[in-house]
Amino acid sequence: KLTKLEGGQLKLSDFQGKVIVVNFWATWCGPCLTEMPLLEKTMAKYQQDREVVFLALSTDEEHDDVAPFVKQHKFKLPIAFADGLDAAFRISSIPTTIIFNRSGEISFRQAGFNPREDFVAKLSEKIEAAKK
């Protein structure tokens, strides 16, 4: 269970059988700020696909910093707090994006952000592979 930005709980088990795109990020992370709009672009591309779920998990220790940051940048991604999930998945650098296939297995993992590649195209390709 994770805590949603707006309060309440988010159960990962609710997404069983779906492809889940999880992005670990923080308010103080410059590359995260560059990547977030691209992640939102990818989410918009899949907005009609009920089989794909996007979650942005904040690794910020100061939870109070997150809501004003999200509001300032007008992010629309579903945001929750990592609540230790970053440690469980051994996230050593952020941003880190992980895609879980329908069976709940990790089908893709990328640590860091590479501005020289087409993030939306690459992520879309990896999502399609996870859907199979």
Side-chain angles (χ1 to χ4, degrees):
K1 290 182 182 177
L2 301 174
T3 304
K4 295 192 275 186
L5 179 62
E6 62 276 0
Q9 296 290 305
L10 174 73
K11 289 193 298 188
L12 294 177
S13 59
D14 290 346
F15 305 124
Q16 203 165 358
K18 297 184 180 201
V19 171
I20 308 170
V21 180
V22 179
N23 181 265
F24 291 89
W25 67 283
T27 56
W28 49 264
C29 167
C32 297
L33 187 57
T34 303
E35 185 180 76
M36 289 288 263
L38 299 173
L39 197 58
E40 288 197 332
K41 241 186 205 178
T42 311
M43 183 178 77
K45 184 176 173 181
Y46 284 91
Q47 69 185 2
Q48 302 301 320
D49 191 334
R50 301 252 182 256
E51 300 303 309
V52 180
V53 176
F54 287 79
L55 293 174
L57 301 182
S58 168
T59 60
D60 285 276
E61 289 181 17
E62 292 297 326
H63 287 193
D64 293 343
D65 294 346
V66 180
F69 181 84
V70 168
K71 185 177 181 180
Q72 175 190 350
H73 294 286
K74 299 179 172 85
F75 291 136
K76 307 265 187 284
L77 282 160
I79 295 176
F81 296 102
D83 291 341
L85 205 56
D86 49 335
F89 283 105
R90 299 174 192 225
I91 304 300
S92 58
S93 65
I94 54 172
T96 290
T97 302
I98 300 176
I99 298 176
F100 296 89
N101 65 19
R102 295 175 192 275
S103 302
E105 302 161 333
I106 294 174
S107 65
F108 173 73
R109 180 179 177 132
Q110 175 177 303
F113 173 70
N114 182 353
R116 292 182 298 276
E117 67 185 12
D118 184 338
F119 181 82
V120 176
K122 180 178 181 181
L123 195 58
S124 299
E125 175 187 310
K126 300 301 182 183
I127 290 169
E128 290 304 316
K131 287 170 68 174
K132 294 180 180 166

